[in-house]
Structures are given as C-alpha cells and as structure tokens.
Amino acid sequence: MSALRNTFMHGLKSVQFKQARNFRVGWTCSGAVRLKGRSFLTLKDFNPDEIKHILKVSADLKHRIKHDGQYLPLLRGKSIAMIFEKRSTRTRMSTETGFALLGGHPCFLTPQDIHLGVNESTKDTARVLSSLTDIVLARVYSHSTLEQLDKEASVPIINGLSDLYHPIQILADLLTLQEHYGSLKGLTLSWIGDGNNVLHSFMMSLPKLGVNLRIATPEGYEPDPNVTQEALRLSKQFATELHLFSEPMEAAQGSNVLVTDTWISMGQEEEKKKRLKDFHGYQITMQTGSVAAPDWTFLHCLPRKSEEVDDEVFYSPRSLVFPEAENRKWTIMGLLVCILTDYSPPISQLKL
C-alpha cells in the first residue's frame, strides 16, 4: 500500500512539474499581429487588430487566473523598471501586482530613487536600465521624456502616463465596455471635461474599433489640434463619427457611455480656482444622463472629485468605475505578456 501511495505521489508530482514547466497552455502568436519587443507610447501606433489582440490576451488572463485559478508564470525570470515622476495608485498597484502574479520581478523607482534627467541623463538611464531589466514603464510629466527613453533604450518602453497620452488607461476602459456591452462596435462615447491625455488616447483608438466619439470641453480646454486632426482622419477612414461641442448636454445626446476625468491634474494646482470656474456646468449628473441612450453607463479613471460627477451617478448601478479600475491590472498584464512573450490565447474570451 505504501509503495502504491509513493508511486501515485511520484506520478502526481511529475504531472505538477510538467504543468509548471509547460505553463504556456496557449498558442504562439501568429498572423499579422506582432507585438513582441515593441514599445507602447501611444495607441496611435497600433492598428485595430493589434489593439484587439491585447484585449483578447487580457481577457484570457483574467479568465484563467481570476476565474479558473490557474498559475501562469509567463514572465518568470523577467523584471520591469517602473519609473514614477508622478504618483499613482492604480498604475503602480496594477503593474506591480500584475507583473509579480505572472512570475516576474517589478522594481519601483520614485523621484527620490532616480532623478530622471537631473541626477543622471535620460539617455544614460535608458541604457543602464536596458542592461538590468527586460522592459521599462515610465509615468512622466513630458511625453518627450518617453520618446527619449525609447530612442536610447534597447528594451521596450511603456507609457504609464504623460502629458500627451495615457494609453494603458484606455485599454482598461475598452475591456470594461466590451465586458458590459458585449461589443464595442457601434457604441457612442461622450467625453465631458478637459481635453487631456486620456481624451487624446480615446481619440487615437475609438475610431479604429468602430466607436463614435462626442466631445464637450470648455473654451480654451479643447484637445490638442494635431491629435484632433489625426482623430478626424481616423474617423473618416473607419467610418465613425467624431463631434466636438462646448455644451455637455449636446455631447451626451444619445450616448452609451459618459466619461469624465479630473479637471485639475498634478502640476495644475495653481490653476484650481480658475479651472473650477471654467468647468462650471460640466458635472455629470442624472440630468446629463437623461438625454443619453437608455443603456448609458459611466466611466472615470480615478481619483474622482465630486465636482466632476455627483454621488448619485458615481455610486449608481450605471457606474463601471470599479470594474474599470480592476481591469487596469488585467490589461497591463495582457500588454506586458504581448510585448515580452509569444503567448496567444487558444480560445478568445472576447468576440471583438
């Protein structure tokens, strides 16, 4: 009996060992989508199939790890340098916990740890980190810092946020909407607020996925003209609608998704009094939703202030902000897996 038990346990351990070694229970990436080794600075650089592939991998990881309880150390032996010029809850936690969950080692670098471009040049930092890590995520003030890092580094660079774009936030938003509505194509999203980096990333991605975009910003807070010009070109190319307004209720008309963001970003604290005055009337309320589509929902990338959206909307069943926040983790994991491995899900959890 003892010998039989020992034989059984040996066989079980052998199976477990093989499962641990052969954790890539998926297919290698094939076809036109080639993301391995690429940087991720802006969604402008990614076509519809590439964005969809990232979302599919993200949904696959979420399903297999969260719901099926599988262990997938796809990033075992790899490390990421996380440079944070600007503080963050979701970007840090999603990247740090997600990378570790996939078997890798995250290294968090604050301004006190690394004075990027001050104590050491950005060029030198990029070259040093390239020799020590497999990938770098940087959350910075100026988009040009990311471009310089990307130019000098020999490993991929991910934009964790810049003054121009916030692409990893949009991946989470897209996955959240896909999960809620079952499809992205044909949706209309209304942005009501500042013409900022989050909006710019929506403008560089939504037309490619068949989503219409309606934008309301106060005078003087419009999105970047170059981004707007490119978004108009994309809308024409992919046969979607893009409209710009100055009145929130106009922008919300018939929309499926109402979205806003902070009116006062880090570094704009001195403008607070003026900005609050200029954004008067832009708070999203149930009255805003009264002109939207019957199935309207609400998104906010957080942290949220009550002047941007009232409690009635923010904590209502229409609000997807907390699933949206959780999906920051699954989408950054999906993106990292796409950039660092050849993994592709055997069966897509999303029908995009």
Side-chain angles (χ1 to χ4, degrees):
M1 189 71 178
S2 177
L4 181 62
R5 182 179 183 279
N6 289 339
T7 301
F8 172 77
M9 292 303 295
H10 176 75
L12 179 61
K13 288 179 180 178
S14 177
V15 170
Q16 290 173 335
F17 177 70
K18 287 179 181 178
Q19 287 177 337
R21 289 184 59 192
N22 302 316
F23 56 81
R24 295 190 182 189
V25 197
W27 298 333
T28 56
C29 185
S30 60
V33 178
R34 291 278 184 252
L35 298 177
K36 188 176 181 180
R38 287 178 60 180
S39 288
F40 189 76
L41 303 190
T42 167
L43 285 159
K44 178 181 178 180
D45 299 333
F46 290 78
N47 66 39
D49 288 340
E50 291 167 340
I51 297 172
K52 290 176 183 178
H53 182 74
I54 296 169
L55 295 176
K56 287 177 180 179
V57 172
S58 302
D60 175 73
L61 295 177
K62 183 177 182 179
H63 178 79
R64 295 176 68 184
I65 295 173
K66 180 179 180 180
H67 299 294
D68 288 352
Q70 296 184 34
Y71 176 51
L72 298 175
L74 295 166
L75 302 182
R76 184 169 56 195
K78 298 187 183 297
S79 59
I80 181 172
M82 301 162 52
I83 300 173
F84 277 62
E85 289 187 337
K86 303 178 75 172
R87 66 186 182 275
S88 168
T89 300
R90 282 147 295 278
T91 301
R92 178 180 178 181
M93 289 299 297
S94 60
T95 306
E96 198 165 294
T97 61
F99 205 85
L101 186 58
L102 291 167
H105 181 74
C107 306
F108 180 64
L109 302 170
T110 71
Q112 287 69 42
D113 301 310
I114 175 173
H115 292 86
L116 190 63
V118 179
N119 189 48
E120 183 175 35
S121 71
T122 303
K123 177 178 180 178
D124 291 357
T125 298
R127 295 188 177 190
V128 169
L129 292 179
S130 294
S131 68
L132 300 175
T133 65
D134 299 281
I135 193 167
V136 175
L137 178 142
R139 184 177 173 89
V140 299
Y141 284 97
S142 174
H143 193 75
S144 62
T145 301
L146 288 168
E147 293 174 332
Q148 189 175 4
L149 282 171
D150 189 45
K151 178 182 177 182
E152 299 296 340
S154 58
V155 298
I157 304 296
I158 293 180
N159 180 358
L161 176 141
S162 72
D163 59 347
L164 192 56
Y165 295 114
H166 194 2
I168 58 173
Q169 176 61 53
I170 298 322
L171 293 178
D173 294 354
L174 293 173
L175 181 60
T176 304
L177 295 176
Q178 175 69 35
E179 289 174 337
H180 182 81
Y181 288 102
S183 176
L184 294 173
K185 189 173 182 179
L187 292 178
T188 296
L189 183 145
S190 293
W191 176 272
I192 299 172
D194 192 11
N196 64 10
N197 49 5
V198 178
L199 173 59
H200 291 164
S201 290
F202 272 129
M203 295 169 76
M204 293 298 97
S205 57
L206 294 186
K208 299 173 185 177
L209 301 172
V211 180
N212 304 308
L213 180 57
R214 298 169 69 85
I215 300 167
T217 57
E219 186 177 350
Y221 295 91
E222 296 86 356
D224 181 275
N226 292 327
V227 175
T228 300
Q229 183 177 4
E230 175 64 12
L232 287 168
R233 186 192 69 79
L234 289 172
S235 294
K236 183 177 181 180
Q237 178 183 350
F238 293 99
T240 62
E241 297 181 9
L242 173 62
H243 301 286
L244 286 84
F245 305 93
S246 59
E247 292 297 326
M249 297 298 283
E250 281 190 87
Q253 190 73 41
S255 179
N256 305 104
V257 189
L258 304 180
V259 191
T260 192
D261 188 12
T262 182
W263 298 344
I264 305 155
S265 298
M266 280 178 273
Q268 297 175 336
E269 289 80 6
E270 293 183 0
E271 305 174 30
K272 181 176 181 178
K273 187 175 180 179
K274 181 179 187 304
R275 280 178 167 265
L276 289 177
K277 179 181 178 182
D278 292 343
F279 281 87
H280 179 71
Y282 273 73
Q283 183 191 50
I284 293 181
T285 65
M286 286 296 178
Q287 183 180 358
T288 317
S290 68
V291 299
D295 64 349
W296 71 271
T297 55
F298 173 76
L299 293 178
H300 192 302
C301 67
L302 305 179
R304 159 258 186 181
K305 303 294 187 299
S306 59
E307 62 263 19
E308 300 149 6
V309 53
D310 67 8
D311 283 357
E312 188 179 7
V313 171
F314 187 77
Y315 292 109
S316 75
R318 294 184 180 275
S319 175
L320 303 178
V321 294
F322 296 110
E324 176 189 12
E326 179 191 340
N327 280 335
R328 285 293 305 275
K329 179 173 182 173
W330 302 111
T331 48
I332 193 65
M333 289 168 66
L335 176 63
L336 290 165
V337 166
C338 287
I339 292 176
L340 291 175
T341 77
D342 291 313
Y343 177 84
S344 186
I347 301 173
S348 176
Q349 300 297 326
L350 293 184
K351 303 301 180 184
L352 289 159

